[in-house]
mmCIF file of all heavy atoms in Angstrom:
data_model
loop_
_atom_site.group_PDB
_atom_site.id
_atom_site.type_symbol
_atom_site.label_atom_id
_atom_site.label_comp_id
_atom_site.label_asym_id
_atom_site.label_seq_id
_atom_site.Cartn_x
_atom_site.Cartn_y
_atom_site.Cartn_z
ATOM 1 N N PRO A 134 -14.718 -11.981 0.951
ATOM 2 C CA PRO A 134 -13.509 -12.717 1.404
ATOM 3 C C PRO A 134 -12.265 -12.137 0.856
ATOM 4 O O PRO A 134 -12.214 -11.507 -0.216
ATOM 5 C CB PRO A 134 -13.771 -14.161 0.950
ATOM 6 C CG PRO A 134 -14.656 -13.960 -0.238
ATOM 7 C CD PRO A 134 -15.562 -12.819 0.075
ATOM 8 N N ALA A 135 -11.141 -12.380 1.539
ATOM 9 C CA ALA A 135 -9.854 -11.804 1.139
ATOM 10 C C ALA A 135 -9.455 -12.267 -0.268
ATOM 11 O O ALA A 135 -9.646 -13.419 -0.620
ATOM 12 C CB ALA A 135 -8.784 -12.177 2.115
ATOM 13 N N ILE A 136 -8.894 -11.353 -1.047
ATOM 14 C CA ILE A 136 -8.346 -11.692 -2.324
ATOM 15 C C ILE A 136 -7.282 -12.733 -2.211
ATOM 16 O O ILE A 136 -7.166 -13.680 -3.014
ATOM 17 C CB ILE A 136 -7.769 -10.450 -3.073
ATOM 18 C CG1 ILE A 136 -8.843 -9.304 -3.186
ATOM 19 C CG2 ILE A 136 -7.254 -10.792 -4.438
ATOM 20 C CD1 ILE A 136 -10.033 -9.685 -4.028
ATOM 21 N N ALA A 137 -6.467 -12.595 -1.130
ATOM 22 C CA ALA A 137 -5.383 -13.595 -0.892
ATOM 23 C C ALA A 137 -5.905 -15.045 -0.747
ATOM 24 O O ALA A 137 -5.350 -15.971 -1.220
ATOM 25 C CB ALA A 137 -4.542 -13.184 0.300
ATOM 26 N N ILE A 138 -7.089 -15.176 -0.037
ATOM 27 C CA ILE A 138 -7.643 -16.456 0.156
ATOM 28 C C ILE A 138 -8.146 -17.050 -1.123
ATOM 29 O O ILE A 138 -8.159 -18.236 -1.402
ATOM 30 C CB ILE A 138 -8.676 -16.449 1.312
ATOM 31 C CG1 ILE A 138 -8.059 -15.973 2.610
ATOM 32 C CG2 ILE A 138 -9.277 -17.839 1.489
ATOM 33 C CD1 ILE A 138 -8.980 -15.846 3.759
ATOM 34 N N GLU A 139 -8.723 -16.142 -1.930
ATOM 35 C CA GLU A 139 -9.218 -16.545 -3.285
ATOM 36 C C GLU A 139 -8.092 -17.010 -4.138
ATOM 37 O O GLU A 139 -8.167 -18.082 -4.781
ATOM 38 C CB GLU A 139 -9.914 -15.347 -3.942
ATOM 39 C CG GLU A 139 -10.503 -15.688 -5.287
ATOM 40 C CD GLU A 139 -11.190 -14.477 -5.931
ATOM 41 O OE1 GLU A 139 -11.058 -13.326 -5.468
ATOM 42 O OE2 GLU A 139 -11.884 -14.681 -6.980
ATOM 43 N N VAL A 140 -6.957 -16.307 -4.084
ATOM 44 C CA VAL A 140 -5.787 -16.791 -4.821
ATOM 45 C C VAL A 140 -5.224 -18.068 -4.267
ATOM 46 O O VAL A 140 -4.817 -18.982 -5.018
ATOM 47 C CB VAL A 140 -4.619 -15.652 -4.722
ATOM 48 C CG1 VAL A 140 -3.316 -16.165 -5.371
ATOM 49 C CG2 VAL A 140 -5.124 -14.441 -5.470
ATOM 50 N N GLN A 141 -5.222 -18.231 -2.952
ATOM 51 C CA GLN A 141 -4.810 -19.487 -2.314
ATOM 52 C C GLN A 141 -5.653 -20.628 -2.846
ATOM 53 O O GLN A 141 -5.070 -21.675 -3.155
ATOM 54 C CB GLN A 141 -4.984 -19.342 -0.760
ATOM 55 C CG GLN A 141 -4.597 -20.610 -0.033
ATOM 56 C CD GLN A 141 -5.078 -20.495 1.396
ATOM 57 O OE1 GLN A 141 -5.732 -19.577 1.820
ATOM 58 N NE2 GLN A 141 -4.642 -21.511 2.201
ATOM 59 N N GLU A 142 -6.923 -20.446 -2.942
ATOM 60 C CA GLU A 142 -7.802 -21.509 -3.427
ATOM 61 C C GLU A 142 -7.455 -21.858 -4.822
ATOM 62 O O GLU A 142 -7.417 -23.061 -5.257
ATOM 63 C CB GLU A 142 -9.298 -21.084 -3.328
ATOM 64 C CG GLU A 142 -10.329 -22.006 -3.980
ATOM 65 C CD GLU A 142 -10.557 -23.271 -3.212
ATOM 66 O OE1 GLU A 142 -10.022 -23.421 -2.003
ATOM 67 O OE2 GLU A 142 -11.098 -24.186 -3.759
ATOM 68 N N ALA A 143 -7.290 -20.770 -5.678
ATOM 69 C CA ALA A 143 -7.036 -21.044 -7.126
ATOM 70 C C ALA A 143 -5.663 -21.736 -7.336
ATOM 71 O O ALA A 143 -5.564 -22.540 -8.248
ATOM 72 C CB ALA A 143 -7.026 -19.718 -7.877
ATOM 73 N N LEU A 144 -4.710 -21.499 -6.508
ATOM 74 C CA LEU A 144 -3.388 -22.057 -6.666
ATOM 75 C C LEU A 144 -3.353 -23.483 -6.047
ATOM 76 O O LEU A 144 -2.518 -24.288 -6.387
ATOM 77 C CB LEU A 144 -2.324 -21.244 -6.005
ATOM 78 C CG LEU A 144 -1.857 -19.949 -6.754
ATOM 79 C CD1 LEU A 144 -0.920 -19.186 -5.936
ATOM 80 C CD2 LEU A 144 -1.204 -20.314 -8.133
#
Side-chain angles (χ1 to χ4, degrees):
I136 303 296
I138 301 177
E139 184 182 9
V140 172
Q141 177 190 7
E142 171 74 13
L144 284 175

